[in-house]
Amino acid sequence: LKGVVLLLAAGEGARLGGSEPKAFLDLAGTPVIRHAYEAILSAELVEAIVVAAPAGYERRIESLLPPDSKPVTIVTGGVTRQASAAAALDAAPTGDAYLVHDAARALAPSALFDAVLRELDECEAVVPALPLVDTIKETAEDHVVRTIDRSALVAVQTPQGFRADVYRRAHAAAAKDGFAGTDDAALVERLGVRVRIVPGDDRNMKITTAHDAAVAEGLLGAGR
Ligand code: C5P
């Protein structure tokens, strides 16, 4: 399928400790938002892009995007990530599928966008995922309650892809029920839609802290 990317860049980036939203963080001479945007421009199956920008920074986001070959819409993001996704979806052109991506995953390879869209030929929802490397424990206050069997667990990334009708229904249901999810697939799972897993990418890390930014710059220096 071809799809529209909803690029979420409206976060404050409070955990980075800077004075500016995370989208503007410089990584090897290029802001986070532009790294993410360029990967999306190179994805063959992506036909349009909607960017959710931090309130008051819409024009600045626009000025950082390269003159592009794909239609782009910029909207004002919301207070939560889910609200930013809903705002982007409201402004999105109709398409067969939506891919929701965190701008904070600035190193996502273009091939991952295409891989998720190809998988959507055969199913309704797709998330990239990696196995867990750490042992995971349930805790209470300062002690361990039990160890979780990690063999059935994965860590999911973005872009997460959905058939357009499924994603629109999922947002409508979440809004109606007051449901808040920590990713987009969670909204779709509660409709009973099966979410398929494709391999994630080690480089596709989420940049949350200053440490992550340093790691990402190291990866960029090591060559894409
Ligand atoms: O804060 P967190 O790292 O979970 O944010 C993940 C992604 O969601 C980031 O790319 C951020 O810009 C975006 N976001 C958003 N609107 C918000 C909060 C986060 O677009 N209100």
Side-chain angles (χ1 to χ4, degrees), residues 64-89:
L64 289 174
L65 304 182
D68 61 272
S69 52
K70 293 178 185 181
V72 57
T73 309
I74 298 178
V75 300
T76 307
V79 173
T80 62
R81 183 188 179 283
Q82 189 172 320
S84 294
L89 181 62

Side-chain angles (χ1 to χ4, degrees), residues 8-12 15 22 52 77-82 84-85 101-105 206-208:
L8 307 183
E12 286 177 13
R15 287 162 292 181
K22 179 155 64 182
V79 173
T80 62
R81 183 188 179 283
Q82 189 172 320
S84 294
H101 185 56
D102 290 340
R105 294 189 187 271
K206 184 156 116 185
I207 300 166
T208 304

Side-chain angles (χ1 to χ4, degrees), residues 9-178:
E12 286 177 13
R15 287 162 292 181
L16 264 174
S19 56
E20 290 203 309
K22 179 155 64 182
F24 302 115
L25 177 73
D26 181 286
L27 278 188
T30 302
V32 157
I33 180 71
R34 186 157 169 150
H35 281 286
Y37 192 85
E38 284 182 348
I40 295 164
L41 278 187
S42 303
E44 278 172 34
L45 299 174
V46 173
E47 53 190 1
I49 305 167
V50 182
V51 185
Y57 291 92
E58 298 85 349
R59 300 288 290 275
R60 185 149 160 225
I61 292 272
E62 192 175 9
S63 74
L64 289 174
L65 304 182
D68 61 272
S69 52
K70 293 178 185 181
V72 57
T73 309
I74 298 178
V75 300
T76 307
V79 173
T80 62
R81 183 188 179 283
Q82 189 172 320
S84 294
L89 181 62
D90 274 345
T94 51
D96 292 335
Y98 294 110
L99 292 193
V100 192
H101 185 56
D102 290 340
R105 294 189 187 271
L107 272 50
S110 342
L112 189 57
F113 293 85
D114 285 328
V116 170
L117 281 166
R118 275 198 199 98
E119 199 71 22
L120 281 174
D121 284 339
E122 286 161 27
C123 63
E124 294 188 300
V126 177
V127 296
L130 290 176
L132 296 178
V133 290
D134 294 319
T135 294
I136 305 296
K137 294 188 190 292
E138 183 182 325
T139 65
E141 290 144 33
D142 65 350
H143 59 274
V144 170
V145 175
R146 67 193 175 98
T147 302
I148 314 281
D149 173 14
R150 77 177 175 199
S151 64
L153 301 180
V154 293
V156 301
Q157 303 181 332
T158 69
Q160 299 188 351
F162 311 95
R163 295 282 182 106
D165 57 325
V166 166
Y167 192 57
R168 286 192 185 276
R169 261 201 294 136
H171 265 283
K176 180 168 158 282
D177 304 339

